[in-house]
Amino acid sequence: MKLADKITDERKKKGWSQEELAEKLGLSRQAVSKWESAGSTPDIQRIIQLSELFGVSTDYLLKEEGNGNRIENDDNIYEKDRMIRQVSRSEAENFLDMKSQTAPIIANATFMCIICPTVLILLASLSEANIFGITENAAAGLGLVFLFVMIAVAVALFIMCGVRSSRMEHLEKDNFELDPGIEYAVKEQRDAYEGTFTRGTVTGVVLCILACVPLLVVGLMEAPDWVCGCFTSLLLLLIAAGVNILIRVGMIKGSFDTLLQEGEYTKDEKRIKRKTGALSTAYWCLVTAIYLGWSLWTMRWDFTWIVWPVAGVLFVALSAIIRFKYYPKR
């Protein structure tokens, strides 16, 4: 089977059109069409990209005899790691710019998700104490409207950032090489950002810890329920502010680590993420569904937030188990 036929065959197996394959490669549809009609041949870098997209070896694409070796199991993962692509200066700069622009958007979207029940909790507390003449129905109605608007806007922002980031997600998943000059420049930027990252991390963690203090104080003072409800809203606001800061500085620091392939983006870590990526996404979607379902069913937003720290601890434990099972043996 010739290269042109193999490209066509693998593309159809994935269910992609020529336009979709071209978009993933950053090319025009005409370029893919020429490959499949044998009007032109992709260069070696495109061959490597195609092999990664299709999950096959470069030998399979280049050899006209036999079926070659498909990369479909763990035994061949190191073969895939050997297919290293080069990252240009412009690509590295575009990646850093993209991360610096999407970091505050994702941080704000997360902030909205955390504070979305605050108005509902606050109004429900005031209604229960008959303060400001707010009825129970009005409190529930206004609170739910605010909740769903916040969630809708947050989801829209997440999708927008996801689409924008998808073109460069291969840098976080696959192995590559940086030119020494580019690597030095990225290290300089990372070192210059280290102070901001440290201050942001400390501030975010302190806010999350201090968020519980007001609620503990009013609990010890045996304050009325409506006061506890108000301070629960304050707790969520402080946690949201802390998480917002942590996400902002964490994503930017992570962008440097991604290009330098350090921290969570080493070759070994990427191998693990290839196995756990779908599981992680499904896990947090399930946790979110449980949180919203439980909260809306019981209307105990002042209590159901406990889902998040519990889920976080369980996720760390699950990740440790998976890491123990799949971490490459030396």
Side-chain angles (χ1 to χ4, degrees), residues 293-328:
W294 186 18
S295 301
L296 291 171
W297 179 264
T298 63
M299 299 306 291
R300 289 294 309 276
W301 298 89
D302 59 327
F303 177 76
T304 55
W305 61 270
I306 197 68
V307 166
W308 296 109
V310 172
V313 172
L314 289 176
F315 183 73
V316 171
L318 180 62
S319 299
I321 293 172
I322 295 174
R323 185 180 300 277
F324 177 78
K325 181 178 179 181
Y326 288 114
Y327 202 88

PDB file of all heavy atoms in Angstrom, residues 293-328:
ATOM      1  N   GLY A 293     -26.157  18.238  41.664  1.00  0.00           N
ATOM      2  CA  GLY A 293     -27.364  17.472  41.923  1.00  0.00           C
ATOM      3  C   GLY A 293     -27.718  17.436  43.394  1.00  0.00           C
ATOM      4  O   GLY A 293     -28.884  17.658  43.784  1.00  0.00           O
ATOM      5  N   TRP A 294     -26.731  17.165  44.230  1.00  0.00           N
ATOM      6  CA  TRP A 294     -26.954  17.106  45.676  1.00  0.00           C
ATOM      7  C   TRP A 294     -27.377  18.468  46.216  1.00  0.00           C
ATOM      8  O   TRP A 294     -28.305  18.576  47.029  1.00  0.00           O
ATOM      9  CB  TRP A 294     -25.670  16.629  46.358  1.00  0.00           C
ATOM     10  CG  TRP A 294     -25.787  16.392  47.842  1.00  0.00           C
ATOM     11  CD1 TRP A 294     -26.938  16.213  48.560  1.00  0.00           C
ATOM     12  CD2 TRP A 294     -24.718  16.313  48.776  1.00  0.00           C
ATOM     13  NE1 TRP A 294     -26.648  16.022  49.880  1.00  0.00           N
ATOM     14  CE2 TRP A 294     -25.288  16.069  50.051  1.00  0.00           C
ATOM     15  CE3 TRP A 294     -23.333  16.393  48.655  1.00  0.00           C
ATOM     16  CZ2 TRP A 294     -24.507  15.940  51.192  1.00  0.00           C
ATOM     17  CZ3 TRP A 294     -22.579  16.247  49.798  1.00  0.00           C
ATOM     18  CH2 TRP A 294     -23.158  16.029  51.050  1.00  0.00           C
ATOM     19  N   SER A 295     -26.708  19.523  45.739  1.00  0.00           N
ATOM     20  CA  SER A 295     -27.001  20.873  46.234  1.00  0.00           C
ATOM     21  C   SER A 295     -28.398  21.326  45.841  1.00  0.00           C
ATOM     22  O   SER A 295     -29.145  21.886  46.662  1.00  0.00           O
ATOM     23  CB  SER A 295     -25.957  21.857  45.699  1.00  0.00           C
ATOM     24  OG  SER A 295     -24.655  21.493  46.106  1.00  0.00           O
ATOM     25  N   LEU A 296     -28.764  21.101  44.583  1.00  0.00           N
ATOM     26  CA  LEU A 296     -30.093  21.525  44.128  1.00  0.00           C
ATOM     27  C   LEU A 296     -31.200  20.680  44.763  1.00  0.00           C
ATOM     28  O   LEU A 296     -32.311  21.161  44.981  1.00  0.00           O
ATOM     29  CB  LEU A 296     -30.165  21.440  42.598  1.00  0.00           C
ATOM     30  CG  LEU A 296     -29.298  22.457  41.837  1.00  0.00           C
ATOM     31  CD1 LEU A 296     -29.285  22.132  40.358  1.00  0.00           C
ATOM     32  CD2 LEU A 296     -29.814  23.876  42.065  1.00  0.00           C
ATOM     33  N   TRP A 297     -30.898  19.424  45.054  1.00  0.00           N
ATOM     34  CA  TRP A 297     -31.907  18.547  45.645  1.00  0.00           C
ATOM     35  C   TRP A 297     -32.167  18.910  47.102  1.00  0.00           C
ATOM     36  O   TRP A 297     -33.316  18.949  47.557  1.00  0.00           O
ATOM     37  CB  TRP A 297     -31.451  17.090  45.546  1.00  0.00           C
ATOM     38  CG  TRP A 297     -32.414  16.102  46.149  1.00  0.00           C
ATOM     39  CD1 TRP A 297     -32.380  15.563  47.390  1.00  0.00           C
ATOM     40  CD2 TRP A 297     -33.582  15.565  45.519  1.00  0.00           C
ATOM     41  NE1 TRP A 297     -33.429  14.720  47.597  1.00  0.00           N
ATOM     42  CE2 TRP A 297     -34.197  14.701  46.449  1.00  0.00           C
ATOM     43  CE3 TRP A 297     -34.165  15.729  44.263  1.00  0.00           C
ATOM     44  CZ2 TRP A 297     -35.356  14.004  46.166  1.00  0.00           C
ATOM     45  CZ3 TRP A 297     -35.316  15.025  43.982  1.00  0.00           C
ATOM     46  CH2 TRP A 297     -35.901  14.183  44.910  1.00  0.00           C
ATOM     47  N   THR A 298     -31.072  19.172  47.854  1.00  0.00           N
ATOM     48  CA  THR A 298     -31.203  19.444  49.286  1.00  0.00           C
ATOM     49  C   THR A 298     -31.243  20.933  49.611  1.00  0.00           C
ATOM     50  O   THR A 298     -31.671  21.318  50.702  1.00  0.00           O
ATOM     51  CB  THR A 298     -30.027  18.820  50.050  1.00  0.00           C
ATOM     52  OG1 THR A 298     -28.797  19.431  49.618  1.00  0.00           O
ATOM     53  CG2 THR A 298     -29.961  17.324  49.804  1.00  0.00           C
ATOM     54  N   MET A 299     -30.753  21.765  48.674  1.00  0.00           N
ATOM     55  CA  MET A 299     -30.613  23.206  48.891  1.00  0.00           C
ATOM     56  C   MET A 299     -29.721  23.501  50.093  1.00  0.00           C
ATOM     57  O   MET A 299     -29.840  24.544  50.727  1.00  0.00           O
ATOM     58  CB  MET A 299     -31.991  23.868  49.075  1.00  0.00           C
ATOM     59  CG  MET A 299     -32.906  23.732  47.876  1.00  0.00           C
ATOM     60  SD  MET A 299     -32.161  24.325  46.326  1.00  0.00           S
ATOM     61  CE  MET A 299     -32.086  26.074  46.648  1.00  0.00           C
ATOM     62  N   ARG A 300     -28.804  22.596  50.393  1.00  0.00           N
ATOM     63  CA  ARG A 300     -27.871  22.792  51.498  1.00  0.00           C
ATOM     64  C   ARG A 300     -26.505  23.205  50.953  1.00  0.00           C
ATOM     65  O   ARG A 300     -25.511  22.521  51.128  1.00  0.00           O
ATOM     66  CB  ARG A 300     -27.749  21.508  52.324  1.00  0.00           C
ATOM     67  CG  ARG A 300     -28.960  21.174  53.155  1.00  0.00           C
ATOM     68  CD  ARG A 300     -29.189  22.191  54.263  1.00  0.00           C
ATOM     69  NE  ARG A 300     -27.980  22.412  55.059  1.00  0.00           N
ATOM     70  CZ  ARG A 300     -27.620  21.638  56.070  1.00  0.00           C
ATOM     71  NH1 ARG A 300     -28.371  20.610  56.423  1.00  0.00           N
ATOM     72  NH2 ARG A 300     -26.507  21.900  56.748  1.00  0.00           N
ATOM     73  N   TRP A 301     -26.473  24.343  50.270  1.00  0.00           N
ATOM     74  CA  TRP A 301     -25.224  24.805  49.676  1.00  0.00           C
ATOM     75  C   TRP A 301     -24.163  25.097  50.741  1.00  0.00           C
ATOM     76  O   TRP A 301     -22.962  25.112  50.450  1.00  0.00           O
ATOM     77  CB  TRP A 301     -25.481  26.057  48.848  1.00  0.00           C
ATOM     78  CG  TRP A 301     -26.418  25.832  47.715  1.00  0.00           C
ATOM     79  CD1 TRP A 301     -27.774  25.946  47.729  1.00  0.00           C
ATOM     80  CD2 TRP A 301     -26.063  25.444  46.385  1.00  0.00           C
ATOM     81  NE1 TRP A 301     -28.297  25.648  46.496  1.00  0.00           N
ATOM     82  CE2 TRP A 301     -27.276  25.351  45.641  1.00  0.00           C
ATOM     83  CE3 TRP A 301     -24.864  25.180  45.735  1.00  0.00           C
ATOM     84  CZ2 TRP A 301     -27.308  24.999  44.307  1.00  0.00           C
ATOM     85  CZ3 TRP A 301     -24.890  24.841  44.395  1.00  0.00           C
ATOM     86  CH2 TRP A 301     -26.101  24.740  43.697  1.00  0.00           C
ATOM     87  N   ASP A 302     -24.632  25.378  51.968  1.00  0.00           N
ATOM     88  CA  ASP A 302     -23.701  25.657  53.051  1.00  0.00           C
ATOM     89  C   ASP A 302     -22.962  24.407  53.519  1.00  0.00           C
ATOM     90  O   ASP A 302     -21.989  24.495  54.279  1.00  0.00           O
ATOM     91  CB  ASP A 302     -24.436  26.280  54.240  1.00  0.00           C
ATOM     92  CG  ASP A 302     -25.533  25.362  54.781  1.00  0.00           C
ATOM     93  OD1 ASP A 302     -26.135  24.629  53.971  1.00  0.00           O
ATOM     94  OD2 ASP A 302     -25.776  25.395  55.995  1.00  0.00           O
ATOM     95  N   PHE A 303     -23.410  23.237  53.069  1.00  0.00           N
ATOM     96  CA  PHE A 303     -22.805  21.977  53.494  1.00  0.00           C
ATOM     97  C   PHE A 303     -22.215  21.182  52.332  1.00  0.00           C
ATOM     98  O   PHE A 303     -21.174  20.529  52.470  1.00  0.00           O
ATOM     99  CB  PHE A 303     -23.847  21.129  54.226  1.00  0.00           C
ATOM    100  CG  PHE A 303     -23.341  19.778  54.647  1.00  0.00           C
ATOM    101  CD1 PHE A 303     -22.499  19.641  55.736  1.00  0.00           C
ATOM    102  CD2 PHE A 303     -23.692  18.640  53.931  1.00  0.00           C
ATOM    103  CE1 PHE A 303     -22.019  18.399  56.122  1.00  0.00           C
ATOM    104  CE2 PHE A 303     -23.211  17.396  54.304  1.00  0.00           C
ATOM    105  CZ  PHE A 303     -22.377  17.278  55.406  1.00  0.00           C
ATOM    106  N   THR A 304     -22.876  21.239  51.165  1.00  0.00           N
ATOM    107  CA  THR A 304     -22.473  20.375  50.053  1.00  0.00           C
ATOM    108  C   THR A 304     -21.112  20.731  49.455  1.00  0.00           C
ATOM    109  O   THR A 304     -20.545  19.937  48.694  1.00  0.00           O
ATOM    110  CB  THR A 304     -23.530  20.409  48.928  1.00  0.00           C
ATOM    111  OG1 THR A 304     -23.749  21.772  48.533  1.00  0.00           O
ATOM    112  CG2 THR A 304     -24.849  19.817  49.415  1.00  0.00           C
ATOM    113  N   TRP A 305     -20.572  21.908  49.795  1.00  0.00           N
ATOM    114  CA  TRP A 305     -19.242  22.274  49.288  1.00  0.00           C
ATOM    115  C   TRP A 305     -18.173  21.278  49.739  1.00  0.00           C
ATOM    116  O   TRP A 305     -17.096  21.211  49.155  1.00  0.00           O
ATOM    117  CB  TRP A 305     -18.853  23.682  49.745  1.00  0.00           C
ATOM    118  CG  TRP A 305     -18.765  23.841  51.228  1.00  0.00           C
ATOM    119  CD1 TRP A 305     -19.767  24.199  52.078  1.00  0.00           C
ATOM    120  CD2 TRP A 305     -17.613  23.618  52.054  1.00  0.00           C
ATOM    121  NE1 TRP A 305     -19.327  24.225  53.379  1.00  0.00           N
ATOM    122  CE2 TRP A 305     -18.001  23.867  53.391  1.00  0.00           C
ATOM    123  CE3 TRP A 305     -16.294  23.238  51.794  1.00  0.00           C
ATOM    124  CZ2 TRP A 305     -17.115  23.745  54.459  1.00  0.00           C
ATOM    125  CZ3 TRP A 305     -15.411  23.116  52.855  1.00  0.00           C
ATOM    126  CH2 TRP A 305     -15.821  23.372  54.164  1.00  0.00           C
ATOM    127  N   ILE A 306     -18.501  20.493  50.785  1.00  0.00           N
ATOM    128  CA  ILE A 306     -17.551  19.503  51.288  1.00  0.00           C
ATOM    129  C   ILE A 306     -17.187  18.482  50.219  1.00  0.00           C
ATOM    130  O   ILE A 306     -16.170  17.784  50.314  1.00  0.00           O
ATOM    131  CB  ILE A 306     -18.149  18.800  52.530  1.00  0.00           C
ATOM    132  CG1 ILE A 306     -17.063  18.070  53.327  1.00  0.00           C
ATOM    133  CG2 ILE A 306     -19.225  17.808  52.121  1.00  0.00           C
ATOM    134  CD1 ILE A 306     -16.088  18.972  54.000  1.00  0.00           C
ATOM    135  N   VAL A 307     -18.022  18.400  49.160  1.00  0.00           N
ATOM    136  CA  VAL A 307     -17.736  17.470  48.056  1.00  0.00           C
ATOM    137  C   VAL A 307     -16.356  17.749  47.452  1.00  0.00           C
ATOM    138  O   VAL A 307     -15.613  16.810  47.113  1.00  0.00           O
ATOM    139  CB  VAL A 307     -18.819  17.590  46.968  1.00  0.00           C
ATOM    140  CG1 VAL A 307     -18.376  16.914  45.672  1.00  0.00           C
ATOM    141  CG2 VAL A 307     -20.124  16.968  47.449  1.00  0.00           C
ATOM    142  N   TRP A 308     -15.983  19.030  47.328  1.00  0.00           N
ATOM    143  CA  TRP A 308     -14.758  19.390  46.614  1.00  0.00           C
ATOM    144  C   TRP A 308     -13.486  18.962  47.347  1.00  0.00           C
ATOM    145  O   TRP A 308     -12.611  18.327  46.734  1.00  0.00           O
ATOM    146  CB  TRP A 308     -14.748  20.892  46.308  1.00  0.00           C
ATOM    147  CG  TRP A 308     -15.850  21.258  45.388  1.00  0.00           C
ATOM    148  CD1 TRP A 308     -16.984  21.960  45.674  1.00  0.00           C
ATOM    149  CD2 TRP A 308     -15.962  20.902  44.006  1.00  0.00           C
ATOM    150  NE1 TRP A 308     -17.776  22.071  44.572  1.00  0.00           N
ATOM    151  CE2 TRP A 308     -17.184  21.436  43.533  1.00  0.00           C
ATOM    152  CE3 TRP A 308     -15.141  20.187  43.135  1.00  0.00           C
ATOM    153  CZ2 TRP A 308     -17.606  21.272  42.216  1.00  0.00           C
ATOM    154  CZ3 TRP A 308     -15.568  20.030  41.818  1.00  0.00           C
ATOM    155  CH2 TRP A 308     -16.779  20.567  41.365  1.00  0.00           C
ATOM    156  N   PRO A 309     -13.324  19.280  48.641  1.00  0.00           N
ATOM    157  CA  PRO A 309     -12.104  18.781  49.303  1.00  0.00           C
ATOM    158  C   PRO A 309     -12.031  17.259  49.365  1.00  0.00           C
ATOM    159  O   PRO A 309     -10.947  16.678  49.216  1.00  0.00           O
ATOM    160  CB  PRO A 309     -12.191  19.393  50.718  1.00  0.00           C
ATOM    161  CG  PRO A 309     -13.595  19.819  50.889  1.00  0.00           C
ATOM    162  CD  PRO A 309     -14.106  20.146  49.539  1.00  0.00           C
ATOM    163  N   VAL A 310     -13.197  16.605  49.568  1.00  0.00           N
ATOM    164  CA  VAL A 310     -13.209  15.141  49.599  1.00  0.00           C
ATOM    165  C   VAL A 310     -12.803  14.588  48.229  1.00  0.00           C
ATOM    166  O   VAL A 310     -11.980  13.661  48.131  1.00  0.00           O
ATOM    167  CB  VAL A 310     -14.592  14.608  50.010  1.00  0.00           C
ATOM    168  CG1 VAL A 310     -14.651  13.088  49.845  1.00  0.00           C
ATOM    169  CG2 VAL A 310     -14.900  14.988  51.451  1.00  0.00           C
ATOM    170  N   ALA A 311     -13.373  15.164  47.169  1.00  0.00           N
ATOM    171  CA  ALA A 311     -13.045  14.713  45.812  1.00  0.00           C
ATOM    172  C   ALA A 311     -11.573  14.956  45.496  1.00  0.00           C
ATOM    173  O   ALA A 311     -10.928  14.145  44.827  1.00  0.00           O
ATOM    174  CB  ALA A 311     -13.926  15.432  44.793  1.00  0.00           C
ATOM    175  N   GLY A 312     -11.045  16.077  45.986  1.00  0.00           N
ATOM    176  CA  GLY A 312      -9.633  16.373  45.752  1.00  0.00           C
ATOM    177  C   GLY A 312      -8.709  15.348  46.395  1.00  0.00           C
ATOM    178  O   GLY A 312      -7.748  14.883  45.784  1.00  0.00           O
ATOM    179  N   VAL A 313      -9.019  14.972  47.645  1.00  0.00           N
ATOM    180  CA  VAL A 313      -8.211  13.979  48.347  1.00  0.00           C
ATOM    181  C   VAL A 313      -8.302  12.617  47.644  1.00  0.00           C
ATOM    182  O   VAL A 313      -7.299  11.930  47.444  1.00  0.00           O
ATOM    183  CB  VAL A 313      -8.656  13.853  49.812  1.00  0.00           C
ATOM    184  CG1 VAL A 313      -7.954  12.676  50.491  1.00  0.00           C
ATOM    185  CG2 VAL A 313      -8.386  15.145  50.563  1.00  0.00           C
ATOM    186  N   LEU A 314      -9.517  12.237  47.238  1.00  0.00           N
ATOM    187  CA  LEU A 314      -9.700  10.962  46.555  1.00  0.00           C
ATOM    188  C   LEU A 314      -8.970  10.949  45.215  1.00  0.00           C
ATOM    189  O   LEU A 314      -8.412   9.916  44.811  1.00  0.00           O
ATOM    190  CB  LEU A 314     -11.192  10.689  46.334  1.00  0.00           C
ATOM    191  CG  LEU A 314     -12.009  10.357  47.588  1.00  0.00           C
ATOM    192  CD1 LEU A 314     -13.480  10.208  47.239  1.00  0.00           C
ATOM    193  CD2 LEU A 314     -11.498   9.071  48.238  1.00  0.00           C
ATOM    194  N   PHE A 315      -8.957  12.094  44.532  1.00  0.00           N
ATOM    195  CA  PHE A 315      -8.282  12.158  43.234  1.00  0.00           C
ATOM    196  C   PHE A 315      -6.778  11.988  43.403  1.00  0.00           C
ATOM    197  O   PHE A 315      -6.127  11.327  42.590  1.00  0.00           O
ATOM    198  CB  PHE A 315      -8.580  13.491  42.546  1.00  0.00           C
ATOM    199  CG  PHE A 315      -7.982  13.607  41.171  1.00  0.00           C
ATOM    200  CD1 PHE A 315      -8.522  12.902  40.110  1.00  0.00           C
ATOM    201  CD2 PHE A 315      -6.869  14.401  40.951  1.00  0.00           C
ATOM    202  CE1 PHE A 315      -7.970  12.996  38.838  1.00  0.00           C
ATOM    203  CE2 PHE A 315      -6.314  14.494  39.696  1.00  0.00           C
ATOM    204  CZ  PHE A 315      -6.864  13.790  38.637  1.00  0.00           C
ATOM    205  N   VAL A 316      -6.225  12.595  44.447  1.00  0.00           N
ATOM    206  CA  VAL A 316      -4.789  12.433  44.714  1.00  0.00           C
ATOM    207  C   VAL A 316      -4.474  10.960  44.976  1.00  0.00           C
ATOM    208  O   VAL A 316      -3.484  10.418  44.469  1.00  0.00           O
ATOM    209  CB  VAL A 316      -4.365  13.299  45.913  1.00  0.00           C
ATOM    210  CG1 VAL A 316      -2.928  12.966  46.319  1.00  0.00           C
ATOM    211  CG2 VAL A 316      -4.473  14.779  45.565  1.00  0.00           C
ATOM    212  N   ALA A 317      -5.343  10.307  45.769  1.00  0.00           N
ATOM    213  CA  ALA A 317      -5.128   8.888  46.065  1.00  0.00           C
ATOM    214  C   ALA A 317      -5.225   8.045  44.793  1.00  0.00           C
ATOM    215  O   ALA A 317      -4.406   7.147  44.552  1.00  0.00           O
ATOM    216  CB  ALA A 317      -6.149   8.412  47.092  1.00  0.00           C
ATOM    217  N   LEU A 318      -6.228   8.344  43.963  1.00  0.00           N
ATOM    218  CA  LEU A 318      -6.408   7.614  42.708  1.00  0.00           C
ATOM    219  C   LEU A 318      -5.216   7.817  41.783  1.00  0.00           C
ATOM    220  O   LEU A 318      -4.733   6.871  41.149  1.00  0.00           O
ATOM    221  CB  LEU A 318      -7.698   8.077  42.028  1.00  0.00           C
ATOM    222  CG  LEU A 318      -8.059   7.415  40.695  1.00  0.00           C
ATOM    223  CD1 LEU A 318      -8.282   5.919  40.894  1.00  0.00           C
ATOM    224  CD2 LEU A 318      -9.313   8.058  40.093  1.00  0.00           C
ATOM    225  N   SER A 319      -4.735   9.055  41.710  1.00  0.00           N
ATOM    226  CA  SER A 319      -3.574   9.348  40.863  1.00  0.00           C
ATOM    227  C   SER A 319      -2.341   8.595  41.339  1.00  0.00           C
ATOM    228  O   SER A 319      -1.542   8.112  40.527  1.00  0.00           O
ATOM    229  CB  SER A 319      -3.291  10.851  40.861  1.00  0.00           C
ATOM    230  OG  SER A 319      -4.387  11.578  40.338  1.00  0.00           O
ATOM    231  N   ALA A 320      -2.187   8.499  42.665  1.00  0.00           N
ATOM    232  CA  ALA A 320      -1.036   7.785  43.214  1.00  0.00           C
ATOM    233  C   ALA A 320      -1.089   6.299  42.859  1.00  0.00           C
ATOM    234  O   ALA A 320      -0.071   5.685  42.527  1.00  0.00           O
ATOM    235  CB  ALA A 320      -0.989   7.959  44.732  1.00  0.00           C
ATOM    236  N   ILE A 321      -2.290   5.722  42.896  1.00  0.00           N
ATOM    237  CA  ILE A 321      -2.449   4.303  42.541  1.00  0.00           C
ATOM    238  C   ILE A 321      -2.102   4.081  41.074  1.00  0.00           C
ATOM    239  O   ILE A 321      -1.390   3.140  40.717  1.00  0.00           O
ATOM    240  CB  ILE A 321      -3.884   3.836  42.836  1.00  0.00           C
ATOM    241  CG1 ILE A 321      -4.143   3.845  44.351  1.00  0.00           C
ATOM    242  CG2 ILE A 321      -4.126   2.433  42.281  1.00  0.00           C
ATOM    243  CD1 ILE A 321      -5.581   3.593  44.718  1.00  0.00           C
ATOM    244  N   ILE A 322      -2.625   4.955  40.219  1.00  0.00           N
ATOM    245  CA  ILE A 322      -2.359   4.825  38.782  1.00  0.00           C
ATOM    246  C   ILE A 322      -0.874   5.030  38.494  1.00  0.00           C
ATOM    247  O   ILE A 322      -0.273   4.322  37.687  1.00  0.00           O
ATOM    248  CB  ILE A 322      -3.212   5.832  37.995  1.00  0.00           C
ATOM    249  CG1 ILE A 322      -4.699   5.492  38.141  1.00  0.00           C
ATOM    250  CG2 ILE A 322      -2.815   5.847  36.520  1.00  0.00           C
ATOM    251  CD1 ILE A 322      -5.627   6.508  37.528  1.00  0.00           C
ATOM    252  N   ARG A 323      -0.269   6.004  39.170  1.00  0.00           N
ATOM    253  CA  ARG A 323       1.152   6.272  38.975  1.00  0.00           C
ATOM    254  C   ARG A 323       1.985   5.054  39.375  1.00  0.00           C
ATOM    255  O   ARG A 323       2.941   4.684  38.700  1.00  0.00           O
ATOM    256  CB  ARG A 323       1.562   7.480  39.813  1.00  0.00           C
ATOM    257  CG  ARG A 323       2.999   7.926  39.598  1.00  0.00           C
ATOM    258  CD  ARG A 323       3.280   9.130  40.477  1.00  0.00           C
ATOM    259  NE  ARG A 323       2.378  10.209  40.133  1.00  0.00           N
ATOM    260  CZ  ARG A 323       2.568  11.045  39.134  1.00  0.00           C
ATOM    261  NH1 ARG A 323       3.660  10.936  38.392  1.00  0.00           N
ATOM    262  NH2 ARG A 323       1.702  11.991  38.872  1.00  0.00           N
ATOM    263  N   PHE A 324       1.618   4.413  40.479  1.00  0.00           N
ATOM    264  CA  PHE A 324       2.336   3.231  40.947  1.00  0.00           C
ATOM    265  C   PHE A 324       2.226   2.095  39.930  1.00  0.00           C
ATOM    266  O   PHE A 324       3.168   1.348  39.710  1.00  0.00           O
ATOM    267  CB  PHE A 324       1.755   2.781  42.285  1.00  0.00           C
ATOM    268  CG  PHE A 324       2.388   1.520  42.817  1.00  0.00           C
ATOM    269  CD1 PHE A 324       3.629   1.549  43.426  1.00  0.00           C
ATOM    270  CD2 PHE A 324       1.735   0.301  42.703  1.00  0.00           C
ATOM    271  CE1 PHE A 324       4.215   0.391  43.912  1.00  0.00           C
ATOM    272  CE2 PHE A 324       2.300  -0.853  43.174  1.00  0.00           C
ATOM    273  CZ  PHE A 324       3.553  -0.827  43.783  1.00  0.00           C
ATOM    274  N   LYS A 325       1.070   2.007  39.274  1.00  0.00           N
ATOM    275  CA  LYS A 325       0.844   0.931  38.328  1.00  0.00           C
ATOM    276  C   LYS A 325       1.523   1.164  36.996  1.00  0.00           C
ATOM    277  O   LYS A 325       2.066   0.242  36.383  1.00  0.00           O
ATOM    278  CB  LYS A 325      -0.665   0.730  38.115  1.00  0.00           C
ATOM    279  CG  LYS A 325      -0.999  -0.396  37.145  1.00  0.00           C
ATOM    280  CD  LYS A 325      -2.500  -0.566  37.014  1.00  0.00           C
ATOM    281  CE  LYS A 325      -2.833  -1.679  36.036  1.00  0.00           C
ATOM    282  NZ  LYS A 325      -4.285  -1.858  35.860  1.00  0.00           N
ATOM    283  N   TYR A 326       1.496   2.422  36.529  1.00  0.00           N
ATOM    284  CA  TYR A 326       1.939   2.690  35.154  1.00  0.00           C
ATOM    285  C   TYR A 326       3.289   3.399  35.041  1.00  0.00           C
ATOM    286  O   TYR A 326       3.795   3.552  33.942  1.00  0.00           O
ATOM    287  CB  TYR A 326       0.897   3.551  34.427  1.00  0.00           C
ATOM    288  CG  TYR A 326      -0.341   2.793  34.089  1.00  0.00           C
ATOM    289  CD1 TYR A 326      -1.560   3.125  34.683  1.00  0.00           C
ATOM    290  CD2 TYR A 326      -0.332   1.749  33.178  1.00  0.00           C
ATOM    291  CE1 TYR A 326      -2.719   2.443  34.381  1.00  0.00           C
ATOM    292  CE2 TYR A 326      -1.491   1.057  32.871  1.00  0.00           C
ATOM    293  CZ  TYR A 326      -2.676   1.426  33.476  1.00  0.00           C
ATOM    294  OH  TYR A 326      -3.834   0.740  33.169  1.00  0.00           O
ATOM    295  N   TYR A 327       3.852   3.858  36.129  1.00  0.00           N
ATOM    296  CA  TYR A 327       5.099   4.634  35.998  1.00  0.00           C
ATOM    297  C   TYR A 327       6.172   3.762  35.354  1.00  0.00           C
ATOM    298  O   TYR A 327       6.356   2.614  35.757  1.00  0.00           O
ATOM    299  CB  TYR A 327       5.587   5.104  37.368  1.00  0.00           C
ATOM    300  CG  TYR A 327       6.508   6.290  37.258  1.00  0.00           C
ATOM    301  CD1 TYR A 327       6.003   7.587  37.255  1.00  0.00           C
ATOM    302  CD2 TYR A 327       7.889   6.122  37.171  1.00  0.00           C
ATOM    303  CE1 TYR A 327       6.842   8.669  37.152  1.00  0.00           C
ATOM    304  CE2 TYR A 327       8.733   7.202  37.059  1.00  0.00           C
ATOM    305  CZ  TYR A 327       8.211   8.471  37.060  1.00  0.00           C
ATOM    306  OH  TYR A 327       9.029   9.554  36.952  1.00  0.00           O
ATOM    307  N   PRO A 328       6.856   4.257  34.375  1.00  0.00           N
ATOM    308  CA  PRO A 328       7.836   3.444  33.642  1.00  0.00           C
ATOM    309  C   PRO A 328       8.870   2.831  34.571  1.00  0.00           C
ATOM    310  O   PRO A 328       9.403   3.501  35.440  1.00  0.00           O
ATOM    311  CB  PRO A 328       8.484   4.456  32.677  1.00  0.00           C
ATOM    312  CG  PRO A 328       7.471   5.537  32.536  1.00  0.00           C
ATOM    313  CD  PRO A 328       6.768   5.618  33.849  1.00  0.00           C
TER     314      PRO A 328
END
